[in-house]
Amino acid sequence: MESRVLSRAATSLPHLRRLPRRESAANASFVPAVKATGSVADGGNLIWGRQLRPELLSPVLKKEGPAVLLRPCLAAASSPAEGSDSAGEAKVGFFDKYPALVTGFFFFMWYFLNVIFNILNKKIYNYFPYPYFVSVIHLFVGVVYCLVSWTVGLPKRAPMDSNLLKLLIPVAVCHALGHVTSNVSFAAVAVSFTHTIKALEPFFNAAASQFILGQSIPITLWLSLAPVVIGVSMASLTELSFNWTGFISAMISNISFTYRSIYSKKAMTDMDSTNIYAYISIIALIVCIPPAVILEGPALMKHGFNDAIAKVGLVKFVSDLFWVGMFYHLYNQVATNTLERVAPLTHAVGNVLKRVFVIGFSIIVFGNKISTQTGIGTCIAIAGVALYSFIKARMEEEKRQAKAA
């Protein structure tokens, strides 16, 4: 989702209290931690996939520190009935024993799926330049995947009511617009250039927070965005694949995803992220179909499909469309699951590295020629995003600690 994603669960963490030996096993008890929730952190720089639920906050987190956010909350306790060696002995699972390894695997899959999606997506546009239709395919495959998952109960479908639907519709509309305009940009210019332009998204998030939501943005945060603007400007001036369609579409995508963040803050819900993303995908698909039919339908029926099949064959054409849709959905879903496992600073660094990976691999795979100034501008922009993300994450951490106190 871009990467970006859908919710942050308000949850309570079971905590096992070890009793003194003199107490009998029959009197052993579990003491649940107190549930406490907070509001979504101020500012628009929220990762897509995390902003529809309240923050994870509890006295356990306050006591153990931010590092506890890096551990999955999947501990299982054993009991004498389950054949444990001693009463009340905690059974340590793989997720608890190797949390860093598991989190690292999630990051790897997030990057891997994202890179594959971007490469396959651009290859399709090289012989089938119809971004509106391809955007519909992305969402359609994902929706089918969600429906099948609901059918088999993995996960179980969460109920939807009219009030929640009203809250999710603006989020889904912004998601659809941002997704389509991103694809228009991908089809028009090099993948690396589109991602360089999309590095400006934190700037639009900060501006929306300041002037639309009325939140005060510290001067240090604004100053950290200066390298982003300068770097993107430098890269745009000498980008060999530059055209106004690709540039303007990427900018509209930034604005759309910014408004998606704003509406997401108004649509907070305790529904799990997988179900939220499924519902938003369904609504976004409905939104994307009419523009695709109106703008590209006649050309597709006249020669679009025939030209693509003549170039690569029917089997490869259908296969490419299916797999690009699967990679799109899976990378967004894995990104959601990954970002829910880590602290804000970790996910901020992760998002910056993801963009570096995508830009680097796209240049290598497609052999895009870039000028020295474009390369320097891209590096400056990415460095600016890294600095902004670091400062923003530290601010969010300080706010959480203040609320916990």
Side-chain angles (χ1 to χ4, degrees):
M1 246 211 357
E2 286 297 25
S3 214
R4 293 157 180 214
V5 27
L6 296 174
S7 56
R8 188 181 294 176
T11 183
S12 59
L13 303 175
H15 190 65
L16 182 62
R17 183 179 67 184
R18 187 70 177 272
L19 295 176
R21 292 182 179 275
R22 64 175 179 270
E23 296 185 37
S24 64
N27 293 328
S29 63
F30 291 96
V31 182
V34 178
K35 182 189 294 185
T37 61
S39 60
V40 172
D42 294 335
N45 189 33
L46 297 176
I47 301 303
W48 176 238
R50 303 189 69 199
Q51 60 243 77
L52 292 178
R53 281 184 289 174
E55 296 181 33
L56 185 64
L57 184 63
S58 77
V60 175
L61 299 187
K62 177 182 176 182
K63 179 185 293 185
E64 299 187 15
V68 74
L69 292 177
L70 292 172
R71 300 201 303 270
C73 305
L74 298 174
S78 63
S79 65
E82 294 170 340
S84 61
D85 294 335
S86 62
E89 190 74 24
K91 183 178 180 181
V92 179
F94 180 83
F95 291 104
D96 290 308
K97 193 174 182 180
Y98 305 103
L101 182 62
V102 174
T103 301
F105 174 76
F106 271 84
F107 269 99
F108 170 78
M109 291 304 299
W110 176 26
Y111 289 6
F112 173 77
L113 293 171
N114 198 315
V115 169
I116 296 301
F117 162 74
N118 278 275
I119 292 174
L120 180 57
N121 202 43
K122 184 61 178 179
K123 285 185 175 181
I124 290 175
Y125 289 135
N126 287 338
Y127 68 84
F128 187 69
Y130 296 93
Y132 289 88
F133 178 79
V134 174
S135 297
V136 169
I137 294 298
H138 291 165
L139 294 168
F140 175 77
V141 173
V143 167
V144 172
Y145 178 91
C146 293
L147 294 177
V148 172
S149 298
W150 278 341
T151 301
V152 300
L154 296 172
K156 184 178 179 181
R157 186 180 71 85
M160 170 66 68
D161 56 41
S162 58
N163 292 329
L164 181 57
L165 182 62
K166 291 177 182 178
L167 292 174
L168 292 183
I169 285 178
V171 180
V173 170
C174 292
H175 177 60
L177 180 59
H179 178 54
V180 169
T181 51
S182 292
N183 279 288
V184 172
S185 182
F186 285 137
V189 296
V191 173
S192 57
F193 181 59
T194 297
H195 278 280
T196 301
I197 299 299
K198 289 178 72 62
L200 282 172
E201 190 171 331
F203 173 82
F204 288 97
N205 286 334
S209 298
Q210 178 84 53
F211 301 111
I212 297 178
L213 298 180
Q215 299 169 352
S216 178
I217 303 298
I219 187 63
T220 54
L221 209 58
W222 281 113
L223 292 176
S224 69
L225 290 170
V228 182
V229 177
I230 294 172
V232 171
S233 299
M234 289 178 60
S236 301
L237 289 175
T238 55
E239 170 59 37
L240 300 178
S241 68
F242 179 89
N243 66 55
W244 284 107
T245 299
F247 178 82
I248 294 175
S249 296
M251 294 294 282
I252 294 175
S253 176
N254 285 335
I255 297 173
S256 300
F257 287 140
T258 295
Y259 274 94
R260 182 182 65 183
S261 295
I262 293 174
Y263 286 119
S264 295
K265 294 179 70 173
K266 299 178 181 179
M268 294 172 61
T269 174
D270 287 333
M271 186 185 295
D272 66 279
S273 61
T274 302
N275 274 288
I276 283 289
Y277 185 66
Y279 282 121
I280 286 180
S281 295
I282 293 172
I283 300 171
L285 174 61
I286 296 173
V287 173
C288 288
I289 289 177
V293 172
I294 295 172
L295 298 176
E296 295 181 343
L300 285 171
M301 298 304 297
K302 185 176 181 180
H303 56 77
F305 292 124
N306 293 333
D307 289 348
I309 294 173
K311 291 177 181 178
V312 300
L314 177 61
V315 174
K316 179 173 174 53
F317 177 52
V318 174
S319 176
D320 283 352
L321 291 178
F322 169 77
W323 284 113
V324 77
M326 281 298 297
F327 281 119
Y328 172 76
H329 179 82
L330 291 177
Y331 105 72
N332 276 285
Q333 191 61 67
V334 171
T336 299
N337 298 333
T338 302
L339 298 178
E340 286 185 335
R341 299 175 61 85
V342 298
L345 181 57
T346 305
H347 82 62
V349 174
N351 268 302
V352 175
L353 291 178
K354 181 208 72 174
R355 199 173 296 281
V356 172
F357 267 79
V358 172
I359 291 174
F361 274 98
S362 66
I363 292 175
I364 294 173
V365 171
F366 297 106
N368 297 333
K369 294 181 179 180
I370 60 174
S371 66
T372 301
Q373 182 173 323
T374 297
I376 294 174
T378 299
C379 292
I380 293 175
I382 295 299
V385 172
L387 178 61
Y388 171 89
S389 300
F390 177 80
I391 295 175
K392 184 67 176 177
R394 291 297 296 270
M395 290 171 54
E396 292 178 359
E397 187 64 34
E398 291 174 359
K399 289 179 181 178
R400 261 198 309 276
Q401 292 177 357
K403 291 177 181 178

